[in-house]
Amino acid sequence: MFEQMENAGLERLHLACDPESGLRAIIAIHSTVRGPAIGGCRFISYQSEADAITDATRLARGMSYKAALAGLPHGGAKAVLIKPEHNFDRHALMKSFGRFVQDLGGKYITAMDSGTQTSDMDSISQSTKWVTCTSQTGDPSPYTALGVFEGIRASVKHTYGSDDLHGIHVSVQGLGHVGYAVAELLYKSGAHLTVSDIDNAKVLKAVNELGAKAIAPDRIYGVEADVFCPCGLGAIINDHSLQQLCCRIVAGSANNQLEREEHGELLRRRGILYAPDYLINAGGLIFVAMQHAGQSDAAIHSKVRQIGTSLGQLYQQADQEDRSTHRIANERAETIIARAALHSAA
């Protein structure tokens, strides 16, 4: 476990177990040198506890990079709650998790993520103040979607010379809160959509409301499209899917899209422009951090829209240096964090 933490650059790994509520929780804190670590609370099933720890560890580092590149005064963390297999009291479990967060004394601020909702954050808030995305503060999903939309526009502009999305074909993988919101924004901008999701009801809704073409989840990678927009879970760019991709751009909201670091370079060699996930999907984190700090909605929207500008600058540097966007983004984030660590130690 310690080797895994060291490889990921993790500062801390906290575990909590409350048999009475069914809570089995992991909080992975990657960095606090730029400020309190912030990151969502994931509540899903896992095949093993080791898988849950690996998920939390990988996601925490991504949150640190996301905060650094967005210029936020925070480090990154991620909480994973292993969903009980037996019957449980959701409210009691979330309150117990809130006590776990409270025990960390403000080093970690929690928020919504896969499998959690506003009502869960309300329950957590009964035990700690270090929480956002409650019913009083709102859902970050629309802001994540807005950032992804701006990122797609920037990617299309870099590839085709214009950010006009009319007639652009986008294949969207995953129609959850963020994925569907992205699809709506694309539809309103005149894009053509092909969509997939394991939930047929969500696919049917997109077909009826957005004029989308439906395709089976296992065929989404081979769709001939301008943009592949992954909005589900991670590790979807891998040895198998890379051979199937028929797109010019990969730009979506999913975290940890690359199964391995070298897949970023392999995308570049295939001539596929890649929007690093922790840059393009930072809108939700921007909302969470700035809302927690009491900043205005107008200021938050302005900051989120800058994601497109940041991606455009990254693409230009990648072209000039003939290197992958993923590697350059990693280096930028690591440099920002390292400078903060030096300043903190001084």
Side-chain angles (χ1 to χ4, degrees), residues 42 55 58-59 62-63 66 78 113-114 144-145 148 152 172-176 178-179 182 221 228-237 250-259 274-282 326:
R42 181 163 288 195
D55 201 23
R58 291 188 67 201
L59 290 165
M63 294 303 294
K66 193 179 301 188
K78 186 66 72 169
D113 203 287
S114 300
T144 304
V148 172
I152 290 174
V172 181
Q173 180 191 47
L175 295 171
V178 174
V182 172
Y221 301 106
F228 171 50
C229 181
C231 296
L233 297 178
I236 48 82
I237 303 297
V250 173
S253 69
N255 286 310
N256 292 332
Q257 294 172 26
L258 307 180
E259 186 178 56
Y274 174 61
D277 46 44
Y278 46 82
L279 202 167
I280 193 173
N281 70 11
H326 176 69

Side-chain angles (χ1 to χ4, degrees), residues 68-133:
L69 291 176
L72 298 172
H74 290 282
K78 186 66 72 169
V80 162
L81 278 59
I82 301 174
K83 196 170 186 178
E85 297 179 1
H86 53 77
N87 292 331
F88 63 97
D89 183 330
R90 190 176 183 113
H91 175 69
L93 187 148
M94 293 299 168
K95 280 188 66 179
S96 179
F97 175 66
R99 291 191 290 272
F100 180 24
V101 173
Q102 182 64 23
D103 287 344
L104 298 183
K107 291 187 179 296
Y108 167 60
I109 302 169
T110 196
M112 283 175 57
D113 203 287
S114 300
T116 53
Q117 52 204 18
T118 300
S119 59
D120 296 325
M121 300 303 110
D122 288 342
S123 298
I124 293 169
S125 71
Q126 294 183 20
S127 302
T128 185
K129 66 179 181 179
W130 306 109
V131 58
T132 185
C133 301

Side-chain angles (χ1 to χ4, degrees), residues 3 5 7 10 24 56 83 89 166 174 177 236 243 249 259-260 278 296:
E3 182 179 357
M5 290 177 64
N7 289 339
L10 216 64
R24 288 189 297 161
K83 196 170 186 178
D89 183 330
H166 187 81
H177 291 303
I236 48 82
Q243 301 306 313
I249 299 163
E259 186 178 56
R260 299 194 307 275
Y278 46 82
S296 70

Side-chain angles (χ1 to χ4, degrees), residues 40-330:
C41 167
R42 181 163 288 195
F43 187 45
I44 58 177
S45 299
Y46 287 90
Q47 291 187 347
S48 70
E49 294 170 3
D51 287 346
I53 291 173
T54 297
D55 201 23
T57 300
R58 291 188 67 201
L59 290 165
R61 184 175 68 170
M63 294 303 294
S64 274
Y65 286 9
K66 193 179 301 188
L69 291 176
L72 298 172
H74 290 282
K78 186 66 72 169
V80 162
L81 278 59
I82 301 174
K83 196 170 186 178
E85 297 179 1
H86 53 77
N87 292 331
F88 63 97
D89 183 330
R90 190 176 183 113
H91 175 69
L93 187 148
M94 293 299 168
K95 280 188 66 179
S96 179
F97 175 66
R99 291 191 290 272
F100 180 24
V101 173
Q102 182 64 23
D103 287 344
L104 298 183
K107 291 187 179 296
Y108 167 60
I109 302 169
T110 196
M112 283 175 57
D113 203 287
S114 300
T116 53
Q117 52 204 18
T118 300
S119 59
D120 296 325
M121 300 303 110
D122 288 342
S123 298
I124 293 169
S125 71
Q126 294 183 20
S127 302
T128 185
K129 66 179 181 179
W130 306 109
V131 58
T132 185
C133 301
T134 64
S135 56
Q136 291 184 333
T137 59
D139 181 356
S141 298
Y143 297 86
T144 304
L146 176 61
V148 172
F149 174 73
E150 293 294 337
I152 290 174
R153 288 181 61 206
S155 302
V156 168
K157 182 176 181 179
H158 185 80
T159 302
Y160 297 112
S162 170
D163 63 2
D164 183 1
L165 300 183
H166 187 81
I168 292 293
H169 184 190
V170 184
S171 57
V172 181
Q173 180 191 47
L175 295 171
H177 291 303
V178 174
Y180 199 88
V182 172
E184 285 183 310
L185 291 170
L186 292 168
Y187 169 72
K188 291 174 182 177
S189 297
H192 300 310
L193 302 174
T194 298
V195 301
S196 72
D197 195 285
I198 58 174
D199 187 336
N200 288 330
K202 293 177 180 177
V203 172
L204 184 60
K205 182 181 179 184
V207 169
N208 292 334
E209 295 183 357
L210 310 178
K213 177 183 177 181
I215 195 165
D218 62 348
R219 295 180 58 200
I220 190 70
Y221 301 106
V223 172
E224 292 188 15
D226 298 295
V227 183
F228 171 50
C229 181
C231 296
L233 297 178
I236 48 82
I237 303 297
N238 50 54
D239 291 339
H240 181 65
S241 64
L242 263 168
Q243 301 306 313
Q244 302 176 60
L245 288 178
C246 296
C247 60
R248 295 286 305 278
I249 299 163
V250 173
S253 69
N255 286 310
N256 292 332
Q257 294 172 26
L258 307 180
E259 186 178 56
R260 299 194 307 275
E261 295 288 313
E262 58 263 34
H263 287 133
E265 173 61 21
L266 292 174
L267 282 171
R268 186 188 72 83
R269 291 180 185 176
R270 286 202 54 196
I272 299 173
L273 183 67
Y274 174 61
D277 46 44
Y278 46 82
L279 202 167
I280 193 173
N281 70 11
L285 178 64
I286 290 169
F287 165 77
V288 166
M290 294 181 68
Q291 195 283 330
H292 192 74
Q295 299 199 40
S296 70
D297 195 53
I300 295 171
H301 268 89
S302 177
K303 183 77 169 175
V304 171
R305 289 188 180 278
Q306 292 174 19
I307 287 173
T309 302
S310 297
L311 273 171
Q313 294 169 348
L314 177 70
Y315 295 154
Q316 290 178 5
Q317 182 179 350
D319 284 349
Q320 291 168 359
E321 299 179 7
D322 195 24
R323 294 198 298 148
S324 75
T325 55
H326 176 69
R327 172 46 52 195
I328 293 172
N330 274 5

